[in-house]
Amino acid sequence: MSTMDVKVGSGGEAEALGMRSETMRESSRSGDIKKGQVILAAYVIATIELTFIFMQMGVMPYLAKSIGLDSVGFGYLQTIFGVLQLVGGSIFGRFADKFGARAALILSCASGSAFFLLMSISTSIPVLFLSRLPAVFMHGLPGAQKVITDMTTPSQRADALGKLGLCFGIGIITGSVLGGVLSTKFGIFAPMYVGLVGNLINTMIAMFWIPLQAKPKSDHHLTEHGTSQSGSVFSIREILRLMKFPGVMEIFIVKVFAGLPIGLFQIMFSIISMDFFGLEAVESGYLMSYFGVLQMVVQGLVIGKLTSHCTEMTLLKLSVFVFAGVGLGMALMRTVWHYCIIAVPLMFAFSTLGTITDSILTKAVPSSDTGTMLGICASVQPLTRTVGPTIGGVLYKHFGVSSFGCLQLIVNTGLFVYLLKSNIPLTGMKNQ
């Protein structure tokens, strides 16, 4: 009897262990499904916000002209927008770290709603300038990046962040077309009403689909004791502290300077497309759509495959090297067809640089500081938009289009040599 009891007991334990193992597998599967739904919601929010941002960018010059704002005033309007985005990027990141990605996305979407509401009643120049103020917290893309960073492992991160390029491409193509159609058929303010409704929908998605705490439970103890939880959201010292982590300053410098020359070119592109390429407005729109498709392909399909075969530092060096080659091509280009050919490696280098540096930098800081780090990264483009018109205008006026290519070649050749010779001390603290 005792032998039978032992056998029965052993069988019961084995059965219990099997049931427990099956329960854990089911729990893991349901957790993966939940993660996938949250990440999908982040992609949807980013796509909707980018669509309406590009929509208003296309309509804004016509709205400004209709209320009597001249080209100089319009330049001031764009500069104010860039400065507000620059200032708000790091603050938004700190807010996301202290209060969570859900609260940050709700803040961004609510700010977008206020932005389009003010634009919809902008019948005078002062109100139009006032409508720029909510832009300080309009950072849906960094908010989506924060969700993805919290919900993915370090090995999955570059691929998941790269797929945000699909959202960007859809936003460029859909936003440009939507703005033109709505303003032509229903009036100049129609896109603003649609943008207001779209941002209210985004707010609801963030409230109901993004969890209160997106960061995995295993990271919570790190967050609770993380240094980012102390100090004010507006603390410059806390923001600058991240630059002292091993390798962060070096990678951030590469991120800023590698993309600066092409950023200057893009800022001047509306003028270059008219004066140098001789394009009409419709043809410029087609060219922008072409760039959008390229970015969708590169970030949605190419980067993910490359990250599974190459290290991130290898891809960073590759993107800088390709950028240098793009600079040589831009220095020699003479027609819009040349530019269309150059655009393929250009978009590869541009997309790879942005995705890989974001991934590296979020791994190099504690999990409690990823939002702040993404906010700092998001400030790079507003910085370029702020200083770009002045620097780009001088280059174009005095040295011509080829000067952008020469600058691109020189800067990225120097950065490539620096990356080859230096041993950047990345901690890899989140790769475990």
Side-chain angles (χ1 to χ4, degrees), residues 102-233:
R102 178 187 176 188
L105 277 173
I106 291 172
L107 174 64
S108 174
C109 298
S111 299
S113 301
F115 177 81
F116 280 100
L117 176 62
L118 288 170
M119 283 185 64
S120 69
I121 58 172
S122 295
T123 54
S124 65
I125 293 174
V127 178
L128 185 62
F129 273 87
L130 183 65
S131 71
R132 305 291 94 180
L133 288 180
V136 72
F137 294 122
M138 286 172 55
H139 296 280
L141 188 60
Q145 289 176 322
K146 169 66 174 170
V147 173
I148 291 167
T149 300
D150 286 348
M151 300 296 291
T152 56
T153 62
S155 60
Q156 300 169 328
R157 187 164 305 156
D159 183 26
L161 289 174
K163 285 184 170 60
L164 278 171
L166 286 169
C167 307
F168 204 89
I170 293 170
I172 291 176
I173 296 169
T174 310
S176 302
V177 173
L178 192 61
V181 171
L182 289 174
S183 60
T184 302
K185 288 186 175 293
F186 304 104
I188 197 68
F189 288 105
M192 313 313 166
Y193 301 139
V194 173
L196 172 59
V197 174
N199 276 273
L200 290 173
I201 292 172
N202 251 1
T203 306
M204 301 299 288
I205 294 173
M207 290 175 66
F208 293 107
W209 284 84
I210 304 299
L212 188 62
Q213 183 56 265
K215 200 181 293 294
K217 289 183 180 178
S218 60
D219 287 347
H220 285 179
H221 71 282
L222 292 173
T223 303
E224 288 168 6
H225 301 287
T227 50
S228 80
Q229 302 303 304
S230 62
S232 166
V233 169

Side-chain angles (χ1 to χ4, degrees), residues 55-69 74 128 179-180 183-184 187-189 192 281-282:
M55 180 186 70
Q56 70 87 27
M57 284 174 63
V59 175
M60 180 55 66
Y62 301 98
L63 175 60
K65 187 177 180 180
S66 70
I67 61 175
L69 189 67
F74 184 72
L128 185 62
S183 60
T184 302
I188 197 68
F189 288 105
M192 313 313 166
V282 175

